[in-house]
């Protein structure tokens, strides 16, 4: 054992002995039951707090904020991308009978660890996810050059697959 190690062990042992002494022997005062509680002072403090809580000293702005907090929200404040994308799709009334009529643009390929993401029409998708703007279609395969989307029928059989090549927008390439 080196000199440094032995010094550290001695300092640690002394620290343990001092800690054991304070834990076992020191600070052994008898607190007893003669602690006095002034109940009048305690009751007056409780009454003061109740009085302050019951006073209606709200300003006009605070009352307005309380009324707003109590009203029910008409819709969820959090953005739901699938819901809004489907609403946009219904507004366009695009019939998605075949993949040829789809207006899909594969504009990005992202790798994060072991996850591969394809950016299609501004949304990120993993393998197996349903395409929000094309109901009934899902991402089958993702590569750097293209993405393959598929469509399943009611028996979960793939009935159609389409290859979409990557398209880069030179205007938004570095934004």
């Amino acid at each position: 054992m080196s000199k440094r190690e032995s010094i550290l062990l001695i300092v640690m042992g002394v620290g343990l002995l001092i800690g054991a002494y304070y834990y076992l022997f020191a600070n052994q005062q008898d607190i007893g039951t003669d602690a006095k509680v002034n109940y009048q002072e305690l009751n007056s403090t409780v009454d003061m707090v109740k009085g302050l809580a019951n006073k209606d000293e709200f300003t006009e702005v605070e009352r307005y904020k309380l009324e707003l907090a109590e009203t029910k929200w008409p819709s969820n404040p959090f953005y739901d991308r699938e819901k809004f994308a489907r609403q946009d799709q219904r507004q366009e009334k695009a019939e998605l009978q075949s993949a040829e009529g789809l207006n899909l643009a594969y504009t990005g390929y992202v790798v994060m660890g072991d996850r591969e993401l394809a950016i299609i029409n501004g949304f990120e998708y993993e393998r197996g996810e349903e395409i929000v703007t094309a109901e009934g279609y899902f991402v089958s395969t993702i590569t750097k050059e293209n993405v393959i989307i598929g469509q399943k029928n009611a028996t979960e059989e793939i009935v159609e697959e389409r290859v979409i090549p990557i398209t880069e927008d030179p205007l938004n390439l570095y934004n």
Side-chain angles (χ1 to χ4, degrees), residues 26-53:
N27 212 5
Q28 293 289 329
Q29 299 174 353
D30 184 23
I31 54 173
T33 58
D34 52 332
K36 304 234 184 225
V37 176
N38 188 350
Y39 288 106
Q40 287 181 338
E41 186 179 324
L42 183 63
N43 286 334
S44 68
T45 304
V46 169
D47 291 337
M48 181 187 68
V49 170
K50 283 183 182 179
L52 289 174

Side-chain angles (χ1 to χ4, degrees), residues 153-171:
N153 60 9
T155 60
E156 297 295 318
E157 296 175 353
I158 298 174
V159 292
E160 184 179 2
E161 284 190 335
R162 180 177 179 197
V163 177
I164 302 174
I166 192 163
T167 57
E168 295 180 358
D169 186 2
L171 296 176

Side-chain angles (χ1 to χ4, degrees), residues 11-12 23 86 110 112:
V11 169
M12 189 172 55
Y23 181 73
R86 288 202 174 106
V110 180
M112 291 187 303

Side-chain angles (χ1 to χ4, degrees), residues 76-150:
N76 187 354
F78 302 107
Y79 180 72
D80 185 7
R81 73 176 183 154
E82 293 179 8
K83 176 184 170 187
F84 290 116
R86 288 202 174 106
Q87 284 177 353
D88 291 343
Q89 179 188 13
R90 285 187 202 115
Q91 288 174 357
E92 294 173 1
K93 290 187 176 183
E95 299 274 333
L96 300 178
Q97 300 294 331
S98 71
E100 297 301 321
L102 295 177
N103 195 7
L104 298 176
Y106 174 44
T107 57
Y109 174 75
V110 180
V111 177
M112 291 187 303
D114 59 343
R115 294 176 55 195
E116 288 182 320
L117 298 174
I119 300 174
I120 302 172
N121 288 358
F123 295 109
E124 299 90 14
Y125 297 100
E126 286 186 274
R127 244 182 227 116
E129 276 190 296
E130 184 177 348
I131 297 174
V132 176
T133 56
E135 197 169 317
Y137 289 91
F138 68 98
V139 176
S140 176
T141 307
I142 301 171
T143 64
K144 289 181 184 179
E145 294 83 23
N146 55 40
V147 66
I148 300 175
I149 61 166

